[in-house]
Amino acid sequence: MTIIRQMSLFSMQELYEMEPTQRYDAIFSAIDLSSIVHEVTKKSHLGAPEALNYPAMVISILIRLVEGIPTMKHLIKRLNEDLAFKRNCGFLVSDSVPSEASYSRLLTKLENSNILAEVQEKVILQAIAEGFITDDTVAIDATHFEARDQAPPKEEKPKEEPQKRGRKTKKEREQWLIEQAEKEANLPLFEKKIEAQLEVSLAQLRREIPQDPKWGIKKNSEGKNVFWYGYKGHLAVGTSSQYILQSLFSSGNLNDGKAAIPLLKGIHERLPLNSLRYQTMDAGYDFEPIYEQVYRMGQQSVIAYNKRNERERVGFDEHFAPTCVREHSYRYDSFDPKYETLKYTRPKECHDCPLANDGLCQKVYKVKITTDLRKYTAPARGSNVWKSIFKQRTAVERVNAYLKELFQLNNVRHRSGKRAKVHFDLVTLVYNASKLAVDRIRTSHQQQQAA
């Protein structure tokens, strides 16, 4: 029996199984290479003419990530030994292969400009224009990757003077509060509390994020602490399209929650996505300012709750749904967007309860989400709809795996944080371009099948 191949299921893996020339053409057709080339080439006609083929150098840097070539040294070796590969990269037969120093100068030019972020945004806007991004949910998460350099020895912190025991006097406490406020005000933006980011512009947030390699710590699936020295990549991914809508590069010690507001502001201010309704994240993002930012965007937060040793409220269950006299939870019914109100209805167990007929158990319970944005979300916590949306968060984990397995995110070959950021930006750019190429091929196959 003949097996009919479903062309509409064209995947990222199938893109990598194509012939190199076809694969490169599909990926690079989604990238505005001319803008990158213009940024790194000479702007003046004065002086000696340029001897390097910058367009081919840019293409070869991107192909290095696509082909899994580990270092610039290996790239140069292949360009020297493989004439077909050299031509696929755009070099002429007569062109000399650039040196490692030439590639390093090219990366320095990219490091000192914002062109990769601009081209990345063009790819996303093009995907939106072509109808490939129509998500209603975004998943946000971080992934870590190590720096090239060996971690420096940890510095021993000086011992603090022991504080005086006993309760502070009113005057001492007032002085202590003033000192703490001054200390907080003088901290760098990303060392302050998260709420300080709410009134800061997106440009300033992106400009001030720390990027030097630092020690990071995270719990693994077994609940054990994992340490690494390096960086974090923070991603906001469309859960159905799996495009990276926004990305952020930071030091490895930055708390995941402190990258959420810059990502959210980037989505809100830079992308015309009216279809978005939900922002979903794990418990590491359970901070009130993040809920506030999502609320300001006119969307809803679907974030796992972190109890933080909080006491349970009497008359409410673990998901903050009201309970009846016999402690049965009310059922989430609906959300009224006009009045921003959650509606709960009487529990099933109360149907034959004598207390219900005595008026001690009300039929409907309504709560405004603005009472506490962290506890009252739409849809309500614990409901089947909430759980269904939260499950979509795995999309960002899937994209993180793609970046590491197919696009060399783990293979940082640079010592400085700024240069490592160029690597991160190139990786996310090639991923999004590959995703757009896959969607275009899938659409073309579907149109052929329909014809």
Side-chain angles (χ1 to χ4, degrees):
M1 179 178 177
T2 304
I3 298 175
I4 300 175
R5 186 182 182 189
Q6 297 294 326
M7 302 302 292
S8 61
L9 300 179
F10 190 90
S11 66
M12 186 78 74
Q13 190 61 44
E14 287 178 283
L15 177 68
Y16 274 73
E17 293 172 0
M18 294 171 62
E19 289 294 323
T21 304
Q22 294 177 317
R23 180 166 67 250
Y24 302 155
D25 289 344
I27 294 173
F28 298 139
S29 66
I31 300 176
D32 183 8
L33 292 172
S34 60
S35 295
I36 302 176
V37 173
H38 180 266
E39 188 67 28
V40 299
T41 51
K42 187 178 176 183
K43 304 298 186 296
S44 173
H45 295 290
L46 302 177
E50 291 179 335
L52 296 173
N53 187 339
Y54 276 107
M57 289 179 69
V58 171
I59 291 173
S60 64
I61 288 175
L62 298 173
I63 288 179
R64 171 182 163 252
L65 298 176
V66 174
E67 291 293 332
I69 300 173
T71 66
M72 287 297 180
K73 184 177 180 179
H74 289 86
L75 173 64
I76 292 169
K77 182 180 179 181
R78 184 162 177 186
L79 287 170
N80 281 315
E81 296 177 352
D82 189 340
L83 182 59
F85 178 76
K86 182 179 178 181
R87 293 184 63 184
N88 284 335
C89 289
F91 288 100
L92 301 176
V93 176
S94 58
D95 287 336
S96 59
V97 175
S99 64
E100 286 189 64
S102 298
Y103 275 109
S104 179
R105 288 191 292 270
L106 173 62
L107 292 174
T108 299
K109 292 179 180 180
L110 294 176
E111 174 187 325
N112 295 327
S113 73
N114 196 40
I115 190 61
L116 293 178
E118 294 174 6
V119 173
Q120 173 86 279
E121 189 171 293
K122 288 181 181 179
V123 173
I124 295 299
L125 292 175
Q126 186 63 35
I128 293 173
E130 294 182 26
F132 297 130
I133 302 179
T134 57
D135 302 85
D136 65 352
T137 305
V138 170
I140 292 178
D141 202 0
T143 186
H144 70 273
F145 47 102
E146 296 185 0
R148 179 185 179 185
D149 286 350
Q150 183 178 0
K154 292 184 178 180
E155 298 180 0
E156 293 186 5
K157 294 182 179 180
K159 294 183 179 180
E160 297 181 358
E161 296 182 4
Q163 295 182 352
K164 294 180 181 180
R165 292 186 177 183
R167 194 172 181 179
K168 291 183 175 67
T169 64
K170 184 177 180 181
K171 187 175 181 180
E172 287 176 337
R173 177 168 175 75
E174 290 176 352
Q175 180 62 30
W176 178 80
L177 290 173
I178 292 172
E179 291 174 357
Q180 291 298 112
E182 291 177 353
K183 185 178 179 181
E184 174 75 14
N186 293 326
L187 288 174
L189 178 58
F190 282 87
E191 291 183 19
K192 295 180 180 179
K193 295 179 180 178
I194 297 179
E195 51 261 36
Q197 299 179 8
L198 285 170
E199 307 305 328
V200 177
S201 68
L202 174 61
Q204 185 178 349
L205 287 169
R206 289 177 173 175
R207 186 170 58 249
E208 295 192 24
I209 190 165
Q211 296 177 351
D212 294 327
K214 297 290 182 182
W215 277 103
I217 180 173
K218 194 168 187 177
K219 288 188 181 295
N220 60 15
S221 58
E222 299 175 356
K224 296 180 180 179
N225 289 333
V226 177
F227 297 88
W228 79 94
Y229 181 75
Y231 313 101
K232 277 185 180 179
H234 307 267
L235 305 180
V237 173
T239 57
S240 59
S241 68
Q242 295 188 25
Y243 281 88
I244 301 173
L245 303 180
Q246 290 286 301
S247 60
L248 206 62
F249 172 89
S250 78
S251 301
N253 64 342
L254 186 74
N255 182 284
D256 291 358
K258 291 188 176 181
I261 290 179
L263 292 172
L264 292 168
K265 286 189 175 184
I267 293 171
H268 184 60
E269 297 179 17
R270 306 295 301 177
L271 302 180
L273 280 173
N274 298 324
S275 60
L276 288 182
R277 297 179 61 192
Y278 307 108
Q279 301 287 340
T280 181
M281 310 166 213
D282 62 25
Y285 296 86
D286 182 31
F287 296 96
E288 291 181 6
I290 296 177
Y291 291 89
E292 175 64 28
Q293 177 61 37
V294 176
Y295 177 74
R296 292 183 182 185
M297 294 164 60
Q299 298 168 21
Q300 301 296 334
S301 302
V302 181
I303 305 174
Y305 193 78
N306 189 346
K307 289 185 178 180
R308 299 182 190 144
N309 299 321
E310 298 175 11
R311 294 181 180 179
E312 294 185 2
R313 294 175 59 188
V314 178
F316 296 87
D317 67 8
E318 60 179 336
H319 301 299
F320 310 105
T323 57
C324 68
V325 178
R326 299 177 66 182
E327 298 187 353
H328 296 301
S329 298
Y330 275 66
R331 294 174 295 167
Y332 170 67
D333 180 85
S334 60
F335 172 68
D336 186 344
K338 181 178 180 180
Y339 297 101
E340 298 181 326
T341 302
L342 298 173
K343 179 183 176 182
Y344 295 88
T345 57
R346 181 182 288 170
K348 291 181 179 179
E349 295 83 353
C350 297
H351 180 69
D352 298 326
C353 178
L355 298 176
N357 298 326
D358 293 340
L360 296 176
C361 185
Q362 62 190 76
K363 292 182 179 180
V364 176
Y365 198 104
K366 293 184 178 182
V367 182
K368 289 183 71 68
I369 62 170
T370 50
T371 303
D372 191 328
L373 291 173
R374 181 169 168 243
K375 294 178 179 179
Y376 299 109
T377 63
R381 289 184 179 277
S383 65
N384 291 332
V385 183
W386 189 96
K387 292 176 182 177
S388 175
I389 296 171
F390 185 73
K391 285 180 181 178
Q392 297 180 42
R393 195 188 61 82
T394 56
V396 68
E397 298 173 353
R398 196 174 302 114
V399 172
N400 283 334
Y402 278 138
L403 296 184
K404 291 183 176 181
E405 293 174 9
L406 296 179
F407 298 96
Q408 302 193 70
L409 179 60
N410 277 331
N411 186 26
V412 177
R413 310 300 300 181
H414 313 291
R415 287 185 168 87
S416 72
K418 288 185 177 180
R419 185 63 65 86
K421 182 181 182 298
V422 173
H423 174 78
F424 175 75
D425 289 343
L426 287 170
V427 166
T428 53
L429 173 60
V430 172
Y431 169 83
N432 273 339
S434 300
K435 190 72 182 65
L436 181 54
V438 167
D439 286 341
R440 285 173 171 174
I441 294 171
R442 180 189 296 119
T443 301
S444 175
H445 286 170
Q446 289 174 342
Q447 291 173 348
Q448 290 176 8
Q449 281 185 321

